Amino acid sequence: MFIERNLTADKQVYCWAQPGPQASFAGKWCTKEAVIKAVSSLNLQTPKVWVRGDAAPLIDIEIVIAESGAPQVVFHGNANDASVKTGVTWVKVPISHIDDFATATAIVQ
């Protein structure tokens, strides 16, 4: 249920196909959480931007691989609305994961 609620079907297939699927799932989830925090704190004068209950729509934040090989964020649905509302113009997301551990940082402007 957790995986289906937070990752699209194609991202689930991608993560399961990796040599360390647990690390891949954890890396995607960490990145989405970092993006949520960064978007929420970009413009502190903006009222609450996540409108789907108390939870942010993690499935609406897609982590793709750019042509350069770096991770890239694509916003959809409610996450796109939140990014527009706060004035996000770009997002950088370094991700690191190995075995059962993952970390990510999101920098927005």
Side-chain angles (χ1 to χ4, degrees):
M1 174 94 167
F2 176 83
I3 292 172
E4 292 80 12
R5 190 177 67 235
N6 292 293
L7 295 167
T8 60
D10 62 319
K11 291 301 176 241
Q12 293 174 44
V13 169
Y14 170 85
C15 289
W16 283 119
Q18 299 308 301
Q22 296 87 345
S24 189
F25 280 115
K28 297 282 187 212
W29 186 80
C30 285
T31 306
K32 290 173 180 237
E33 281 290 318
V35 168
I36 294 286
K37 305 303 188 248
V39 169
S40 297
S41 64
L42 177 63
N43 184 344
L44 298 177
Q45 312 323 311
T46 301
K48 185 175 178 181
V49 295
W50 305 111
V51 295
R52 211 160 92 189
D54 285 336
L58 294 182
I59 201 161
D60 290 346
I61 299 169
E62 186 177 10
I63 311 303
V64 300
I65 305 301
E67 204 170 305
S68 67
Q72 179 179 2
V73 175
V74 179
F75 292 109
H76 302 283
N78 291 328
N80 187 62
D81 295 343
S83 70
V84 168
K85 190 174 182 179
T86 57
V88 171
T89 57
W90 60 258
V91 182
K92 300 290 184 199
V93 286
I95 307 169
S96 183
H97 52 74
I98 186 168
D99 300 328
D100 293 336
F101 301 97
T103 186
T105 302
I107 303 163
V108 297
Q109 183 172 345

